[in-house]
Amino acid sequence: MQSTPAAWADADVYLADTLVGHDPALEAALGAQQAAGLPHIEVAPVAGKLLNLIARMSGARRVLEIGTLGGYSTIWLARAVGEGGSVITVEAESRNAAIARASIDAAGVGERVDIRVGRAADVLPTLVGGFDLVFIDADKESNTIYLDWAARLGHAGTVVVLDNIGREGEIVRDDSTDPMVVGTRDALRMLGDDPRFDATALQTVGIKGWDGVALALVV
Ligand code: DHB
Ligand code: MG
């Protein structure tokens, strides 16, 4: 096989078909998101399930998500925390939040999910800490602010997942002026240097092209 974006996508679809399967609530959430014209940049199905498994493996009961979009990853996380658990998800766009609210409710996990509308840099200082898992998937320019709040609102043992750390390999460009690349590089440097975190990152290929995810533990 040639390592091409089309082959990565085919293999990703195969893995999702084999390991994730048909999921009406999640597919409905994606349909609603698409019908509303939101960008198709939610996590891939295999990545959504990875989030769900990481949350369950770590026993997370209180989850913070930064960047709700249409609620696709929120549903994966809300399922993971179980009936007594909770997810606070922060979304800057009220229209996105309304679409997410409907999809999350339709998925049957609405009572576990609190959507806070506003810019995360404004909302995060208003939250009470104690989160067991923080998923950061919002504007990449603000990633270091979000990591700082993840540490402040977490505790020793909190799991932090940061999306989109590969950026088609642009992360190696120390002269990049792309704010998303600069924000991602700054976040990776912080994860490497800040003593509050112990971190690694994995590149991914699949239906979203060449990207990746960082995983950190608050120590
Ligand atoms: C973008 C943002 C994302 O969170 C993502 O997963 C893919 C792309 C973007 O803004 O380009
Ligand atoms: Mg993302």
Side-chain angles (χ1 to χ4, degrees):
M1 298 286 285
Q2 288 287 322
S3 181
T4 62
W8 306 340
D10 285 348
D12 204 3
V13 169
Y14 163 76
L15 292 171
D17 285 347
T18 306
L19 299 169
V20 181
H22 177 53
D23 193 313
L26 289 168
E27 287 157 22
L30 292 185
Q33 179 176 301
Q34 186 177 9
L38 270 51
H40 185 35
I41 56 171
E42 74 286 342
V43 299
V46 292
K49 187 154 185 189
L50 178 68
L51 282 174
N52 175 278
L53 288 167
I54 290 171
R56 288 159 58 200
M57 288 167 176
S58 62
R61 306 290 286 162
R62 288 198 67 204
V63 168
L64 171 63
E65 177 180 62
I66 305 174
T68 315
L69 191 64
Y72 180 81
S73 49
T74 321
I75 292 168
W76 275 115
L77 289 166
R79 287 176 175 174
V81 297
E83 271 190 22
S86 64
V87 178
I88 293 181
T89 183
V90 184
E91 173 55 43
E93 303 287 340
S94 58
R95 188 165 169 271
N96 296 359
I99 291 155
R101 179 81 264 164
S103 293
I104 292 162
D105 290 348
V109 289
E111 76 289 345
R112 300 175 197 173
V113 178
D114 180 358
I115 306 181
R116 302 289 176 93
V117 180
R119 292 195 57 80
D122 300 326
V123 173
L124 294 170
T126 72
L127 299 181
V128 175
F131 294 101
D132 306 311
L133 185 149
V134 182
F135 176 49
I136 302 172
D137 191 16
D139 57 305
K140 313 311 171 193
E141 298 88 325
S142 305
N143 270 341
T144 56
I145 296 169
Y146 302 154
L147 285 173
D148 179 57
W149 279 106
R152 292 163 71 160
L153 295 170
H155 51 77
T158 292
V159 174
V160 181
V161 183
L162 176 69
D163 198 26
N164 309 116
I165 58 84
R167 306 231 70 101
E168 304 200 310
E170 293 286 319
I171 49 166
V172 302
R173 295 194 184 275
D174 58 9
D175 60 343
S176 178
T177 55
D178 177 340
M180 300 217 283
V181 173
V182 174
T184 301
R185 286 176 53 86
D186 288 348
L188 290 167
R189 186 180 311 108
M190 182 170 174
L191 287 175
D193 291 350
D194 189 318
R196 295 176 296 176
F197 298 109
D198 203 5
T200 191
L202 293 171
Q203 298 184 71
T204 55
V205 293
I207 59 171
K208 295 185 69 178
W210 175 16
D211 208 338
V213 65
L215 287 173
L217 188 67
V218 176
V219 293

